[in-house]
Each structure stands twice: as C-alpha cells, then as structure tokens.
Amino acid sequence: MRQSELPAPRRFGGLSAVADRWLVAGAIATAAGALSAPPVSWRGTWWWGAALGIGLGAVGIASRARVLIPAGLVLLAAAAMGAQLSQLSAVTGGDFEGEVQLVGDPRWRSGALVVLFSATIDGAQHRWEGRARGPAAWQLEDAAMGERWRLGVTVEPAEPADRPFLWPRHLAGTAQIRTAYRVDGGSAPFRIANSLRGLVEASGESLSQRDAALLAGFVYGDDRGQLPEVVHDFRATSLTHLLAVSGSNVAFVLLLFAPLLAGLRPWARLVAVAALLVQFAVLTRGEPSVLRACVLAALAVGAHAVGRRASATRLLALAIIVLLLVDPLLVRSVGFQLSVAATAAIVIGARPISRLLWGPPWLRLALAATLSAQAGVLPVQLAVFGSLPLVSIPANVLAGPVAGPAMVWGLVGGLTGGLTGDAVASVLHLPTKLMMGWVAGVARWGASLGWPQIEAAELTAGAAVVGCCVAGGFLLRNLGAVAGSAAVVAAGVGVWIVAGSHQQPLPLGPHLAVPRIDPVIVVVDRPDPSRALGQLAAAGIDRIDVLVARSASRSGREAVRAVHARHDIGQVLAPAGLGGRVTYEAVTEPVRVAGLTVEPAAERLHVSTEVASNEWQAARFG
C-alpha cells in the first residue's frame, strides 16, 4: 500500500490539543486559586469570577493563547472556593431533630463518641461533627457510614479558631447529640460497602488483635482498632500512610479485576471501571488520596475509550484540576497534598532512579517508586509536621513494597474467609500474618532505634552542602572529589545518628512526674496512649520502676496497657477498678514512693511531691 493510501491519523481538537505543560500550569493555577480564598465581602458575587474564568479558559482552549487557560482556572477555582466558604459561613445554630445520614464511622475521642453526619437544617444541607455520650453513644457505637439515623441534636457554627480544622473536612460546626434512633442502612452502595467490610472484619477474628486491626487498615483504611503501641511505632517511623488507603490500593484493585475488564468494549469498560471505582471509594470512605487515584484511573480509561493516549503527567494534572474545581477545599487537606506530591514524584523520578539501582526490574521499580515518593512528600511533611524521622527512609523502603500485596491478599482472603468461616479464614490468612508481621516488625525495629528527627533547617543545610560538593566536583571534573564529598556527608550523617540516638532525656512539660535518680516513676493521667509512648521515647526512658495510673477510665486503662507492652515495669499503682490484663496494686490508702505521695480521691489518685522541681526531668502525661 502506498503512503498516500494509508488512513489519515485521527485528529483531536479542543482540550486534547493542549500541550501537557499547559495542563500542568493549569493544575498549579487551580491549586493557587483554591488556596487564595476571596475576601468575605466578595463571596456573595463569586459567580462573576466563575463566569470570567470559564470564558478565559474556553478562549484559551479554542485559540492558541494557552496562557489564558491557567488564568481562567485561577479565577474559576477561587470562585468555587468562595462559593464553598459562603455556604459554610452562613450556617446558624440551634436545636434540630430529624433524619440525618452518617458521613463517617463513629470513633471514641476524649471520652465522647464522635459522629459525623449530614443534615438539612433550615433548607440548607451541611455536615456536622457531633459528640454523643451516655445512651446516645451506646446506640451509635456500632453504626457505620452511610446509615440513616434520626437524631436529636444542638448544632453550633464553627468558631473562627476551629474553622481551619473543620472546614477542610466540609464540617460547618459541632453538635451535641441527645437522642439517636436508627432508620435504615442507607443507599445500596453503602450497604454493599458495609457488608464487604463486615466480611473482612469477620475473617479477621482468626488473627491476633494486632493483625486484625492492621488488616482493616491495609484493606480499607480503618485505623480505629489499632493498638496504641502499634500507632506509636508507625508514627515514629512515618509508616502511618500504609494504614490509609492510597493510589497504589486503587491500582491493585484494578489489576485484580483486570481479567474481567479486559474482554469488554472500551465504553463498556469505562462504565464498569467507573462503577468499580465508585464502590471502592465508598468502601474506603472517600479518602482524598483515593479520590485522586479514582479520578486519575477514570481519566486514563476514558482516554483509552476515545482512542487517545495520555501521559501520566497529563492525567495527573487533569485529575487535580477536576477535583479542585469540584471540591476546592481538598487543597487544604494534608492527605490530598501528600497524595499529589507522592504521585508527582513517582511520575517524575521513579524511572530515572530505577536506572541507578541494581537488581531485577520489578525490584528496582518498587524501590525507586518508594524512594521517589518519600522525596516527594518530604516538603509537605516538613511544612505540616515540622520534622521527619530519619528512620522513615529505610523503614519505608523495607515495608512499602509489602503494602500492596498485603492489601490485595487481605481483600481476597478476607472476603473469602468471611464467607467460608474461621477454619478456612485461618488458612487463607497465613500469608496475611507473615506480611502484617513483617510491616509491624519493621515499624517496631525503626521505633526502637532512637534515630533523630530531620528538621527543616537541617535538611536545607544538608541539601545545600551536598549540592555544593557535587557541583564543585563535577565542575572540577574530579569524580574523586565527588566520592570524597559523599563520604564526608555520609560520615557526618552517621555521627549525627549516633549522637542523636544517645541524646539526653528531654523535659516533657510543666508537671513533675519522673525523678532524675532511681527509682524511675511515671504518672499517667488520661493521655493519648500512643502519645504517651512517644513522650517516653523522647525522654529516653526505657525502664519504669513505678507506673502510677491516676484514672481508671478507658483511656487511662489503655495507656497503662500500652506502656506495659513496650516497657519493663516493676509496679503499677492505680485506682480500684482499673481492670484490663495488667497486674496492678489498687491504692486504697496513701502510699509514699520516692518523694511522691499517692492517695485515693474520688475514683482517681491524687499525686503530690515534696521534692524540689530541679530534681525532676519529665512530666506526667495528660
């Protein structure tokens, strides 16, 4: 066939003719527009900005003036943010009794059951963060997202100080829940999702408490049942993202269903993938990282359906634009920021890094993806949390590649085991035990090393030193200088690690609890158990002679159990009724221990000291 007889290539106009670099610029512009919240006085006229943004974007796509695309997206995202903030700032408080839909799974926090729900009050629908105690909490404790309930509540708009925490989650304010009655299980997608979660949870009964909680975290991102000591280990090694469903989970789910989807026509495949992604998003409670991955996957399948190849950069930029225009408050979500940063880093750096590694291709790509993702999220983590555990780098390299297979096998084995019973589930979950044990072991190992935190200033200085050394070596065309500089930097990091791992105990607060001399005494006062473990680690305390539990509440009991699981404790003093599996001595009359006086006082213990404050180094927790 002659060249002139070949069919002409299919041409695409409109958005498909826009170069990737302009879509990347558009994604950045959309994020900038969403971050720049319009003044309160302008929020009532947000539609003018929306109309102008749409007009500029349309002209930019239709003509060659591509610079108008990001300009229009800035205005459009700012207008969308203005509309959302206008709705959130217009709510009023008062009493309400009626039917609501739960938009989150209830969880206990500070002695109250926190319930997120959506309700239509005075003709406007908003989400609220409710707190229930007593009979209402007992009714709602086993509820699930998507269910419909009849609640009696008193709602209050978010205070200015609470808005940065509530508004990014679309919560208009707080509510006190007085009464609660279940109506039904909600719509079909929620009933299906809750049934699937129930099957996985039922199969987890054949596992230990730790592994069952990790299974729920890996498969559908439920972290409510994690043991405090496991939470501490994962936080100390920056592995908590493994317990939150991310884009990799979406990829593995699509890979799992690929044999069923392969035989469908392109448009039928698009519909099937969309339905699968919607159901998976409901199963995982619509986490920002899942939403990003679902939209990106839908765009990829849609591009294939219309016969258009799209690069990963293009798909990521389009996913960011779509999500932020639909929900501009996502830009303030740390989960969304981390997800986008990690994905962008993988797209840019995974393959170049893999070429520098040794080993089989699958291993090189897995390690390169983990390393590039860690580099991508580092700026966000430092900006939000101020520091990053140095041990997170090797911990993520060791545990990250196991997370995907653990999620896939946990889902398949969990659903099958939930249908067939404990006998089959215990066999199916043998690989689950190995993978969960590996990840938990890596977290425990990393948390026990005591490596220092990477601070933002230290990272900037280190990057500048490495950059100057490498640049100077290459400018001098002296590879020996580059290798020598790298060795000097590596030695400095090693010295820093050793020095940091033997740092002196740090003061933890204003209240006295741990003497500088033996015996070591720790007073626990209704803390966050995982935070208490972190404070003990920061103070360099590994042995406790006397542990005093001031409260017999649930949090106090769990804190004692968590500290006991991670430390050797000689004696536990607690109020009568502490319970749990920890052996303790009930304090019914005053007891003196190394300058402390511990005495019972109204179901709690009162602790006083006669020791000078300069002889103590740490604080009670709580």
Side-chain angles (χ1 to χ4, degrees):
M1 182 180 293
R2 293 180 299 178
Q3 183 72 20
S4 59
E5 296 177 355
L6 291 175
R10 189 174 180 182
R11 296 183 178 276
F12 296 87
L15 187 61
S16 60
V18 179
D20 289 0
R21 65 179 183 275
W22 287 112
L23 290 179
V24 172
I28 297 173
T30 306
L35 283 171
S36 59
V40 176
S41 58
W42 292 3
R43 292 177 190 169
T45 58
W46 58 267
W47 59 83
W48 291 103
L52 182 57
I54 293 173
L56 289 176
V59 172
I61 294 174
S63 67
R64 294 188 177 275
R66 303 302 192 197
V67 71
L68 295 179
I69 297 176
L73 288 172
V74 166
L75 294 175
L76 194 56
M81 178 63 84
Q84 295 243 7
L85 296 181
S86 296
Q87 295 177 358
L88 290 172
S89 59
V91 300
T92 56
D95 293 336
F96 167 79
E97 183 170 354
E99 187 175 301
V100 306
Q101 183 180 33
L102 303 190
V103 294
D105 296 313
R107 63 175 63 219
W108 287 98
R109 186 193 305 161
S110 301
L113 188 69
V114 178
V115 183
L116 307 182
F117 63 91
S118 174
T120 302
I121 302 176
D122 295 334
Q125 187 175 30
H126 292 290
R127 295 184 175 189
W128 305 86
E129 183 180 78
R131 283 178 169 79
R133 293 178 174 85
W138 304 336
Q139 293 286 337
L140 286 161
E141 187 172 12
D142 295 327
M145 178 178 175
E147 294 181 351
R148 284 190 281 259
W149 284 70
R150 184 172 185 83
L151 301 182
V153 300
T154 300
V155 298
E156 297 180 1
E159 298 291 337
D162 297 330
R163 290 174 182 176
F165 307 100
L166 296 177
W167 283 8
R169 294 184 292 152
H170 300 276
L171 298 173
T174 58
Q176 297 298 323
I177 301 176
R178 302 186 304 273
T179 59
Y181 304 96
R182 189 176 186 271
V183 177
D184 57 40
S187 59
F190 288 105
R191 291 199 303 270
I192 294 173
N194 292 332
S195 298
L196 295 177
R197 289 167 71 107
L199 290 175
V200 176
E201 183 179 353
S203 73
E205 295 178 358
S206 62
L207 300 171
S208 65
Q209 183 181 1
R210 183 202 68 180
D211 290 344
L214 288 175
L215 175 66
F218 274 86
V219 173
Y220 45 79
D222 190 348
D223 62 351
R224 291 177 296 170
Q226 303 301 330
L227 297 175
E229 57 269 29
V230 175
V231 173
H232 162 67
D233 294 342
F234 275 65
R235 285 178 179 173
T237 52
S238 192
L239 291 176
T240 51
H241 63 93
L242 298 181
L243 301 179
V245 181
S246 62
S248 60
N249 299 77
V250 176
F252 279 111
V253 167
L254 292 178
L255 184 64
L256 186 65
F257 284 89
L260 300 177
L261 300 172
L264 300 177
R265 293 181 179 274
W267 285 104
R269 187 183 305 123
L270 176 60
V271 174
V273 167
L276 178 63
L277 293 176
V278 168
Q279 188 60 65
F280 185 72
V282 174
L283 177 69
T284 56
R285 306 321 197 201
E287 291 293 325
S289 56
V290 175
L291 294 178
R292 189 271 311 158
C294 288
V295 172
L296 195 151
L299 290 172
V301 177
H304 183 267
V306 299
R308 171 71 175 175
R309 283 188 176 182
S311 64
T313 303
R314 185 183 192 86
L315 293 173
L316 178 60
L318 285 173
I320 295 171
I321 293 171
V322 170
L323 283 170
L324 292 184
L325 290 182
V326 173
D327 183 8
L329 286 171
L330 274 176
V331 77
R332 300 184 181 182
S333 167
V334 177
F336 181 77
Q337 295 169 7
L338 292 172
S339 175
V340 170
T343 307
I346 292 173
V347 169
I348 296 171
R351 290 196 176 276
I353 293 177
S354 68
R355 299 190 189 102
L356 303 176
L357 302 176
W358 292 274
W362 65 268
L363 179 60
R364 289 190 287 111
L365 282 175
L367 292 177
T370 302
L371 290 172
S372 56
Q374 282 297 295
V377 302
L378 184 59
V380 179
Q381 288 181 312
L382 290 176
V384 175
F385 305 110
S387 62
L388 181 72
L390 183 61
V391 74
S392 67
I393 299 174
N396 275 276
V397 171
L398 292 173
V402 182
M407 180 267 171
V408 173
W409 186 258
L411 179 61
V412 175
L415 294 178
T416 307
L419 291 171
T420 54
D422 290 344
V424 177
S426 60
V427 176
L428 289 175
H429 278 315
L430 289 176
T432 306
K433 292 180 182 179
L434 292 176
M435 289 184 283
M436 299 301 172
W438 170 261
V439 176
V442 170
R444 180 74 187 101
W445 163 78
S448 65
L449 290 179
W451 285 13
Q453 299 277 328
I454 304 175
E455 304 293 338
E458 295 169 344
L459 180 66
T460 303
V465 170
V466 172
C468 291
C469 292
V470 174
F474 277 112
L475 288 175
L476 297 174
R477 298 185 181 278
N478 187 343
L479 296 180
V482 176
S485 301
V488 170
V489 172
V493 171
V495 172
W496 181 42
I497 292 174
V498 173
S501 62
H502 295 85
Q503 58 187 330
Q504 295 297 318
L506 302 176
L508 302 180
H511 301 289
L512 306 179
V514 182
R516 292 187 181 276
I517 58 176
D518 288 339
V520 176
I521 305 172
V522 173
V523 180
V524 178
D525 187 13
R526 300 181 63 183
D528 175 351
S530 61
R531 192 176 300 276
L533 290 173
Q535 290 179 325
L536 286 172
I541 297 172
D542 54 5
R543 175 184 59 86
I544 301 174
D545 294 297
V546 181
L547 178 68
V548 181
R550 294 194 63 191
S551 171
S553 64
R554 175 187 301 202
S555 60
R557 180 169 60 250
E558 189 61 25
V560 171
R561 191 206 59 78
V563 174
H564 197 277
R566 284 291 183 264
H567 297 79
D568 293 328
I569 302 177
Q571 182 184 16
V572 177
L573 301 179
L578 178 70
R581 299 181 179 180
V582 178
T583 302
Y584 69 98
E585 180 181 339
V587 178
T588 56
E589 58 185 23
V591 177
R592 291 184 60 83
V593 180
L596 285 182
T597 300
V598 182
E599 52 188 341
E603 299 183 353
R604 288 173 58 84
L605 297 183
H606 176 71
V607 181
S608 58
T609 178
E610 298 175 357
V611 181
S613 61
N614 58 4
E615 297 183 24
W616 300 71
Q617 70 180 19
R620 74 167 183 255
F621 307 112

